[in-house]
Amino acid sequence: MCRMGDVLAGNHAVWEFDSDSVLIRFARGIRTPRTPRLLHALGARRIPFEALSGVTVNATGSGGKRDAVVLHAVPRTGADPLMEAAAGQLRAVCDPYRLVLPGDRSAQAAEFADAVRARLGPDAAEPAERFLVQVPQPPLQLKAYDARLGFDGSAVTFHWSRTGATSTKWKAGDQRYPLSALTGVEWSSPEGPGGHLRLLRRDATGDPRPDHDLAAAVFGVGYGAVHESLPFAAAVLAALRSRTPVASVPAARTDERLHHLSELYSAGLLTDAEYATLRDRFAAEA
């Protein structure tokens, strides 16, 4: 059975079993494929067991050396603002709850999954009453095709681009929307047609065309990438739900994180550069 501090290192992340959560650090693990930019941007996430509804283990392949096993934690509906904002639009490789391991690690993956299942609460199958997973901290900035967006924790601002914005937006001037005027956020992935971020207003219905809606920003090639726009949308959504400072879930203690990071480095699961980068990041977040 897994114990506190036990880890699994996969393609793009290292999962650590803790007393009340799974700590996921997104970095290159035992293989060397390029880490998706969204996972790299997330850095590390602590997922409380109470935020999960289940966990699965599935083998892929047909018995060859390149076989893999996929460990997939399933967040409860309403527990993670990032996944709520994504609304099922993320590609599998960018799913922060998915860990791909070599096929010969299936026993360890199954043991890890069993340990997580044993910690799930009686309400695991029910939607969460509040967000339970930490999101990025404001102030945040986002560059879309037709605007620069800012979020300071209390309001979202749109500064229109002279070259990208339609005449409708440019003539209306820059916009500011306090959280009290909003009911939600609509994120449409830039990897599909019509990518945009739209604020849902409490007392108005915007133009269905994002390029004419004064509470929407349009994405494009090089603008509003997933790793930039999705965390931004999640932060706004979390603040809307709580109407309090965005960080409602405490971060891991810096000394604890550095200790575990040192253990991973000593075990050969992180390169010199990865260790130095994560060590400096954790110290800066203290």
Side-chain angles (χ1 to χ4, degrees):
M1 179 62 68
C2 283
R3 298 169 296 177
M4 180 177 173
D6 284 353
V7 300
L8 280 177
N11 283 7
H12 303 301
V14 176
W15 287 23
E16 179 179 340
F17 189 86
D18 208 343
S19 58
D20 60 355
S21 58
V22 177
L23 177 59
I24 302 177
R25 298 186 181 93
F26 298 104
R28 189 175 61 208
I30 57 176
R31 293 184 178 179
T32 58
R34 180 179 178 182
T35 302
R37 298 183 73 180
L38 173 62
L39 303 186
H40 181 76
L42 293 176
R45 309 188 85 206
R46 185 174 291 277
I47 312 298
F49 293 129
E50 64 174 327
L52 299 175
S53 65
V55 58
T56 62
V57 178
N58 294 297
T60 65
S62 57
K65 292 183 178 180
R66 295 184 178 276
D67 287 356
V69 59
V70 179
L71 181 64
H72 189 212
V74 182
R76 293 171 62 187
T77 300
D80 185 350
L82 188 84
M83 302 307 287
E84 293 296 303
Q89 298 176 73
L90 289 179
R91 292 179 292 123
V93 70
C94 293
D95 186 343
Y97 288 85
R98 184 174 180 267
L99 182 68
V100 180
L101 301 154
D104 60 7
R105 294 289 185 87
S106 59
Q108 293 94 321
E111 182 178 353
F112 198 100
D114 287 341
V116 172
R117 293 188 191 103
R119 299 297 184 96
L120 300 183
D123 299 326
E126 301 296 326
E129 296 181 354
R130 60 186 177 87
F131 286 135
L132 299 167
V133 184
Q134 186 178 359
V135 293
Q137 298 285 308
L140 297 171
Q141 302 290 325
L142 173 63
K143 187 175 183 181
Y145 174 72
D146 60 355
R148 286 182 294 106
L149 284 71
F151 177 49
D152 62 5
S154 62
V156 181
T157 55
F158 291 76
H159 298 283
W160 305 121
S161 165
R162 181 180 295 273
T163 56
T166 58
S167 59
T168 299
K169 292 182 174 180
W170 187 251
K171 291 177 182 178
D174 294 344
Q175 302 291 310
R176 180 180 185 276
Y177 297 98
L179 293 180
S180 59
L182 305 176
T183 61
V185 179
E186 176 185 278
W187 180 79
S188 180
S189 175
E191 295 181 344
H196 65 271
L197 186 148
R198 188 197 308 270
L199 303 179
L200 306 180
R201 290 175 282 180
R202 187 176 301 280
D203 58 357
T205 301
D207 193 303
R209 299 168 296 174
D211 58 342
H212 285 73
D213 186 351
L214 299 181
V218 176
F219 302 149
V221 178
Y223 297 93
V226 171
H227 71 283
E228 298 171 337
S229 60
L230 181 56
F232 186 98
V236 176
L237 183 59
L240 276 172
R241 295 281 181 88
S242 64
R243 296 293 179 87
T244 59
V246 172
S248 59
V249 180
R253 294 192 303 271
T254 299
D255 56 348
E256 176 187 349
R257 298 172 74 186
L258 290 174
H259 173 71
H260 290 311
L261 183 65
S262 179
E263 291 181 334
L264 294 173
Y265 177 66
S266 299
L269 299 176
L270 297 174
T271 66
D272 292 346
E274 289 165 348
Y275 171 74
T277 299
L278 290 172
R279 178 195 59 201
D280 294 342
R281 178 189 298 166
F282 292 167
E285 293 172 353

